[in-house]
Every structure is written in C-alpha cells, then in structure tokens.
Amino acid sequence: LLMTPCLSSLRSRSRSFLYSRSRSRSFRLQVTSPRRTGPWLDSSSFPETETETETGFFSPSPAEFDDVTGVAASSETETEILKRASTFATDEKHNENVLETESSSSSSSSKMCLPRHVAVIMDGNARWARRRRVPTLEGHRRGRDALRRLVERCAEEREIHALTAFAFSDDNFRKRPVHEVDALFRLMEASLREERPRMLRNGVQIAFAGDIDALPASLAMLCREVEAEAEAHAAASSTPSRLLLTLAMNYGARQDIVDAARRLVDMAQRGELAADDVDESLFRSALGTSKATRHAGDPDLLVRTSGEQRMSNFLLFESAYTELFFSDVEWPAFDDVCFDKALHAFSTRTRRFGGRNDDKHETRE
C-alpha cells in the first residue's frame, strides 16, 4: 500500500510515445521507460485501410488500434494512451496535406503562372497493387480514378487547355503478359463507354494518339467513335471546349516520329510538298499528337509519378523545352495536393528557351 502512490507516479512520468513508420509499411507504437523499451503494438496485427500518405503508406485508424489491443474502457490510463497515439497516426496524412497546402497557399493557382499544356506519365499502378496485395487490375482501376480526378481539376483551371496522358505504350503491348493486357483493354473500353457522356457534358474533348488500329477491334472502333463525336460536339457548340484530353494508347514517341517522316515522304512523292517545305512546324503537324499541340502548343509541364525519372519514349519531339516534375507518389494515390505541388514547382521555374532573361542586345530572330 505504501508503494502504490510511488508506482503510480513513476508510471505516469515515465511513459512516452514513439511512433515510427518504415518503408516496409510497418507501424509500431512503442512505450519506453527509463529501464527498458520494447514493442507494444506490432504492424502485423493491423488490417490495411485506404488512408494514405503522400508516399503511399497506410495509416491505421483509431478503431483499428482499439480492435487490436482490446484495451478495456474502464482502464482510463490505457484508453488515454490509445486515444493520443491513434490521433497522431490518423492525423499524419492531414498534417502532411496541411503543410503541402500551406507551402503553396502563398501563390494560389489563380496567381501562379500555370501551364497551358500538361502531360503526365501515369506510372505505378502495378506497384500500388503489389504494395496492398491486391490484383494488378485493381491498381489500374484506381489509376483510372486518379486520371478522372486530374481531368476534372485541369478542366477547372482556365489556363490549362490540354492534358496528354500516357495510358498505354507500344512496349507495354508487346512485353506485358497477355492476360494483363487483355484485362486492361477491357477496362479501357468499359471506362470510355462510362466516361463518354460525362466528358461531353463537362466540355472535355477526347483525342487519341498512337497506333489505335492495332488495338482490339471493338476498342479501336470505340476510340474512333468517341473522337469523332467529340469533334462534332466541339464544332456544334457555341463555347470552346474547356479541355482537350489526349490519351496516348499503344503509343511510342520513336514510332510516332518514324510514322510522321513516312507521311511527309509520301506527300513529297505525290508532289504535294518539296524538301524545302519541311520544317519543325510541318513535322509537328504530322505527329500523332498534332491536335493537342495545335490546340495548346507543346507541353509546358510533364509529370511522372512513382519515383522514376525518365521519359520512357513519351513525347520526345514535343518535350524539347518541357519542364519536368517527378513525384514519388504512385499514380493511383496522385491527388490534388500532389498536382498543386507540381504546379507550384512549375511556377517557380524560369523558362528561357535557349536565351537569357537579361539579354538586351539584338538577336538574329
């Protein structure tokens, strides 16, 4: 009895909390004391949730802490401990988002210099799925949802006129497992049929780049129908489209350049142009992305997700002076906060196009 107040006081003073997160998605809450430390809660007990941080890791919710530990409600000290620890865990994503928002709030999208043409390499669907031990197709479904979010966001920004998305490369077509490619084609076809009326209502015009004819017949026919319908709707509308969305499907930039050269050679053989007629502007018009570049110029900003830092045979001709932004976030987790970060980075860059801002002397142009 004499020792009880001392032990209670020591217990309340010595408890501290250490919440750590590793890249292996393990979450461990530790209670440390002056004499020993040790794991209190282990990550293997946590069910996966849909709460994510910017790097794609999970954050356990308060209910999960309670379910795992089974702490009785009558144990006041333990309940308070769990409440504080779970609040820290679930608020982590919110705090990171607040920091991101605050860092860019000083220059909102209405004040920033925004790109007219945005391109995106949507990388990381399969990695996102493997991280969560779900089928790869589920990663592609979540990637489709991320593209829908980005399209809606770009359509809201008056300065952004075009979005070009790398949906499927010609290398993917040749090198990915057949069952994965077939499932992805079915998802693409179902998504196009679902999104088709919504795009028209929201003033989003859809175009395609790449070898569409090599796709399955039903998907290729649907792509042609959607593109023709979008063009007819844009021509009949009294207001211009809010956004031109170009989906690069079965696309490779090198092959697109070769195909453009062949088109110009055919025109020259038919006597429709001379060698001196070929310049950058004419060559650009022969590329599969010509509709987007006519509408909004070459891409001003190219975003690639999932931590990779390469072009992967995407828009090689069009991206000569494009600003590049690489995000560690896997594509299905790419949200408005991540896009705001890319826009903020773009607004801070100085684009010289080979010149200098302080050049005062006469140039050859």
Side-chain angles (χ1 to χ4, degrees):
L1 292 176
L2 293 174
M3 292 295 295
T4 301
C6 298
L7 290 175
S8 177
S9 176
L10 177 62
R11 186 183 186 184
S12 62
R13 289 198 306 268
S14 62
R15 287 189 183 274
S16 62
F17 301 91
L18 175 62
Y19 180 80
S20 61
R21 180 184 67 184
S22 67
R23 292 193 66 83
S24 61
R25 299 190 311 168
S26 62
F27 291 87
R28 179 170 295 175
L29 182 65
Q30 295 177 330
V31 177
T32 61
S33 66
R35 291 193 175 183
R36 73 183 189 96
T37 62
W40 189 37
L41 298 179
D42 187 74
S43 62
S44 60
S45 304
F46 288 109
E48 292 182 346
T49 69
E50 291 304 320
T51 305
E52 299 177 24
T53 66
E54 187 182 356
T55 53
F57 295 113
F58 289 102
S59 299
S61 66
E64 290 166 347
F65 275 106
D66 294 339
D67 293 340
V68 170
T69 59
V71 176
S74 60
S75 179
E76 182 178 356
T77 305
E78 298 291 338
T79 303
E80 291 175 354
I81 290 171
L82 291 173
K83 183 180 294 185
R84 291 174 58 189
S86 61
T87 301
F88 178 86
T90 54
D91 283 349
E92 183 184 30
K93 182 179 184 296
H94 172 73
N95 291 339
E96 289 182 357
N97 290 349
V98 168
L99 289 175
E100 293 286 358
T101 305
E102 288 179 350
S103 64
S104 59
S105 61
S106 59
S107 52
S108 61
S109 59
S110 61
K111 298 179 181 179
M112 288 192 300
C113 176
L114 296 180
R116 284 174 51 86
H117 188 175
V118 176
V120 59
I121 300 177
M122 305 180 291
D123 192 19
N125 291 346
R127 279 187 286 272
W128 184 93
R130 284 196 300 269
R131 236 181 241 280
R132 289 150 181 82
R133 298 183 180 92
V134 298
T136 301
L137 187 59
E138 181 62 22
H140 292 310
R141 290 193 186 99
R142 297 301 182 93
R144 172 200 59 189
D145 297 340
L147 179 59
R148 181 189 297 119
R149 291 194 301 267
L150 183 61
V151 170
E152 292 173 353
R153 172 64 190 279
C154 289
E156 293 174 356
E157 302 287 353
R158 293 183 179 180
E159 291 85 352
I160 300 178
H161 298 277
L163 172 64
T164 300
F166 204 0
F168 189 75
S169 74
D170 53 359
D171 288 326
N172 295 149
F173 195 13
R174 293 191 299 267
K175 300 176 182 179
R176 293 287 175 89
V178 174
H179 68 275
E180 180 184 347
V181 173
D182 290 343
L184 186 56
F185 285 156
R186 290 193 295 270
L187 177 62
M188 288 178 176
E189 186 169 348
S191 300
L192 279 175
R193 294 187 188 280
E194 178 184 351
E195 299 294 334
R196 183 178 182 176
R198 182 185 307 174
M199 294 289 185
L200 291 176
R201 287 196 306 268
N202 295 337
V204 177
Q205 182 180 352
I206 306 178
F208 296 93
D211 188 4
I212 303 299
D213 293 332
L215 297 175
S218 59
L219 178 57
M221 184 180 299
L222 178 62
C223 290
R224 299 303 184 197
E225 290 177 359
V226 169
E227 189 168 21
E229 182 183 37
E231 288 179 352
H233 186 272
S237 178
S238 57
T239 58
S241 300
R242 296 168 61 186
L243 182 74
L244 174 61
L245 170 63
T246 302
L247 297 176
M249 297 172 58
N250 195 23
Y251 170 88
R254 290 177 174 176
Q255 187 61 48
D256 196 25
I257 291 172
V258 171
D259 292 341
R262 287 174 177 167
R263 294 186 189 101
L264 296 180
V265 169
D266 289 342
M267 292 175 64
Q269 290 177 343
R270 294 194 300 267
E272 297 176 6
L273 61 84
D276 292 339
D277 296 331
V278 179
D279 56 13
E280 284 189 18
S281 178
L282 181 63
F283 194 86
R284 185 180 288 103
S285 68
L287 292 170
T289 57
S290 59
K291 185 177 295 185
T293 54
R294 283 198 308 269
H295 185 75
D298 288 339
D300 301 295
L301 171 66
L302 187 147
V303 177
R304 178 165 188 158
T305 58
S306 196
E308 303 294 349
Q309 299 187 10
R310 54 179 176 269
M311 298 294 293
S312 293
N313 199 21
F314 183 53
L315 303 180
L316 298 182
F317 183 89
E318 300 90 332
S319 297
Y321 286 102
T322 299
E323 297 295 325
L324 308 179
F325 181 84
F326 300 105
S327 171
D328 290 332
V329 180
E330 293 155 346
W331 175 246
F334 195 84
D335 56 14
D336 278 352
V337 173
C338 302
F339 190 51
D340 283 337
K341 189 173 182 179
L343 294 179
H344 178 70
F346 175 82
S347 69
T348 62
R349 300 182 186 180
T350 302
R351 308 185 72 193
R352 301 181 182 86
F353 300 96
R356 293 194 186 97
N357 290 344
D358 57 351
D359 282 348
K360 304 296 184 181
H361 56 272
E362 182 179 355
T363 64
R364 287 187 173 88
E365 290 187 349

